[in-house]
Amino acid sequence: RVHVHVGTKRRRAATTVAGMRATTTTMTTRAPAVARTRARSSARRATTLKMTMPMTTTTAEASTGRRVATRSTTTRREDGTMRSRVRARASTMDSISARGALELETDARGVERVKLRESGWNTWNWRGYACNYISAGEDNDGPIVTLVHGFGAHSYHWRYTIPALARAGYRVYALCMLGYGWSPKVEEEYCMEFWGQQVVDFTKEVAGASETDKTIIVGNSIGALAALFAASTQPQACKGLCLVNSAGNFEPDAAPGPEKKTLAQRAVGDAKEIDGKSADSFADKLRETFSRAVATAIFYSTKFRIRQILNQVYEFDVDDDLVSSIDLAAQDPGAIKTFYQLSLAGSRTKVKAGDLLADYDGDLMLLWGEKDPWMTPTKAARIREIKPNAVYSPVLGGHCPHDDAPTES
């Protein structure tokens, strides 16, 4: 279980994990060797995930292709003098697609996070698509943690969570679901079952979850529903579930799909009126053309208001890197057509959120930003009515507390 330390806006306490102590192990990742990065504020210090905790220095052994992180500690000899003991741990930088170290930096408040990489991180082939993901602490001894982002976000949205959990000894894997972030922007019949199955496959094929080595699945917003789908349909590989300001309608007899439709969902229409249609008739062609035109207009309206929209659901200030990361995905040539299909996802979804929750029989935690204007604490209360043993951990933060208030989450 993750213990949440709730404090003031200015306080930045360290995240702790029950039963686990922070380690100084070297953390490796599978990442491309070449990356394009933007200029950073001089207030931030860039480093790499090869860097260990304080009192640690990092050296590179070019001849062996390895990096060796050394941690110096001081002990006292019997004669009262001091000596330095150096412990070294070597880690091989191997990967599925490339070799390299996951870069870290500290933000303006001094909090450690993953550094934005415009070219993305690791890739995993899923149904013929090279889907992106970030990983850290693969050689750690702790449980596997799978992180699932929300609508419009990506794996980088877990930029604070990834190093914090990896340093605490966990093996961490953050997925970019198909259609989002650095994963391909393609026209597919997206729905909650589609993304939920991708999470199931990711936990097994990339994170290595199994009956003997289960994963904790963490999801935010609609990613929480995808996480819930994976946990409830594949319980044999799931150790626990954490819903972070979850989307979904958990009221009795609620219909499948979104609790409240977005502007794009209302404007584009119902998937059952569009999917599988040959658009041979003039009416079908006109309907699809109109729906795509509306989706395009909403896409551009959203694209130019990224910071404004984020500030509406964040309790604290939104930084440039987060805005840039979302804008990068919007620049993809296939982003507009993908956005159209994403707008139809809710009406394609057949499974009910309440049914998935009722079917899940494992440990459950609700990490909730209580300043969220979309998913208010009343939703968390409703989930606890269904699952009274769920652990409720409130955070002074908005819709995405893991990024909005990382040291509290």
Side-chain angles (χ1 to χ4, degrees):
R1 294 181 303 170
V2 180
H3 290 282
V4 180
H5 300 270
V6 180
T8 64
K9 290 186 178 182
R10 299 298 181 187
R11 199 183 84 194
R12 286 294 181 261
T15 301
T16 60
V17 183
M20 302 298 300
R21 291 186 178 271
T23 65
T24 57
T25 57
T26 301
M27 292 171 281
T28 62
T29 186
R30 308 178 173 99
V34 181
R36 296 174 291 120
T37 56
R38 295 187 177 182
R40 295 291 180 267
S41 168
S42 60
R44 296 192 309 236
R45 172 180 54 82
T47 181
T48 70
L49 200 52
K50 285 292 178 181
M51 190 184 79
T52 57
M53 298 297 281
M55 298 183 65
T56 302
T57 58
T58 303
T59 61
E61 294 186 352
S63 62
T64 62
R66 298 182 302 172
R67 292 193 178 209
V68 179
T70 63
R71 179 174 183 267
S72 177
T73 60
T74 303
T75 59
R76 185 177 299 275
R77 288 180 177 176
E78 292 181 358
D79 60 4
T81 61
M82 305 300 292
R83 67 182 176 86
S84 179
R85 182 178 67 237
V86 178
R87 294 177 297 179
R89 177 178 178 179
S91 180
T92 303
M93 298 181 293
D94 57 349
S95 73
I96 295 174
S97 59
R99 293 175 182 268
L102 180 64
E103 293 179 283
L104 290 184
E105 64 183 5
T106 53
D107 66 10
R109 298 181 180 91
V111 184
E112 188 178 56
R113 68 185 187 188
V114 174
K115 185 177 180 180
L116 178 61
R117 173 178 281 171
E118 293 185 4
S119 60
W121 288 268
N122 317 306
T123 57
W124 160 58
N125 189 299
W126 187 68
R127 300 185 181 182
Y129 298 117
C131 295
N132 215 266
Y133 70 94
I134 303 174
S135 61
E138 298 94 327
D139 297 327
N140 287 343
D141 297 326
I144 301 167
V145 179
T146 303
L147 304 172
V148 189
H149 63 82
F151 188 88
H154 39 54
S155 55
Y156 176 72
H157 206 195
W158 300 99
R159 54 188 172 162
Y160 292 100
T161 311
I162 292 168
L165 289 179
R167 288 200 184 282
Y170 288 83
R171 292 167 284 164
V172 190
Y173 298 85
L175 168 67
C176 261
M177 292 188 289
L178 186 64
Y180 294 104
W182 286 264
S183 288
K185 311 299 180 297
V186 293
E187 290 205 66
E188 286 281 352
E189 293 189 358
Y190 299 106
C191 61
M192 195 48 58
E193 294 89 336
F194 183 93
W195 288 311
Q197 188 58 51
Q198 186 179 23
V199 174
V200 169
D201 295 342
F202 179 76
T203 61
K204 294 180 178 179
E205 297 176 17
V206 178
S210 65
E211 292 186 20
T212 57
D213 191 10
K214 300 183 179 183
T215 181
I216 300 166
I217 309 178
V218 183
N220 174 229
S221 193
I222 67 161
L225 289 181
L228 176 58
F229 180 95
S232 62
T233 58
Q234 299 291 326
Q236 65 273 16
C238 180
K239 187 181 185 70
L241 174 66
C242 179
L243 303 180
V244 184
N245 289 68
S246 178
N249 193 340
F250 296 95
E251 295 299 324
D253 302 321
E259 186 173 9
K260 179 184 291 186
K261 289 186 177 181
T262 64
L263 175 61
Q265 290 168 336
R266 294 196 303 270
V268 170
D270 199 311
K272 64 184 179 183
E273 299 176 356
I274 299 172
D275 289 347
K277 303 285 186 178
S278 62
D280 289 335
S281 71
F282 176 77
D284 289 338
K285 290 179 180 178
L286 184 61
R287 181 186 297 109
E288 181 175 347
T289 300
F290 175 77
S291 296
R292 288 183 179 272
V294 170
T296 299
I298 295 174
F299 172 85
Y300 280 112
S301 175
T302 303
K303 183 178 185 295
F304 295 125
R305 295 185 302 116
I306 294 174
R307 186 183 297 274
Q308 177 185 344
I309 294 172
L310 288 172
N311 279 328
Q312 290 174 358
V313 296
Y314 267 57
E315 177 69 7
F316 301 98
D317 291 337
V318 174
D319 72 299
D320 292 341
D321 280 356
L322 179 60
V323 175
S324 296
S325 68
I326 297 175
D327 183 62
L328 280 170
Q331 293 176 20
D332 190 291
I336 294 176
K337 291 182 178 179
T338 301
F339 182 78
Y340 167 72
Q341 295 294 343
L342 294 177
S343 300
L344 293 168
S347 60
R348 290 193 184 107
T349 298
K350 306 301 180 187
V351 65
K352 297 180 180 180
D355 290 346
L356 290 175
L357 186 62
D359 290 342
Y360 177 69
D361 194 32
D363 291 336
L364 175 62
M365 175 181 177
L366 305 179
L367 179 64
W368 220 269
E370 294 202 309
K371 298 296 183 179
D372 185 355
W374 292 347
M375 311 302 170
T376 65
T378 57
K379 176 168 289 190
R382 171 57 190 157
I383 294 174
R384 293 171 69 193
E385 290 177 3
I386 302 172
K387 295 292 183 181
N389 292 329
V391 176
Y392 181 59
S393 297
V395 177
L396 179 60
H399 184 59
C400 311
H402 56 288
D403 188 69
D404 191 13
T407 58
E408 315 288 344
S409 302

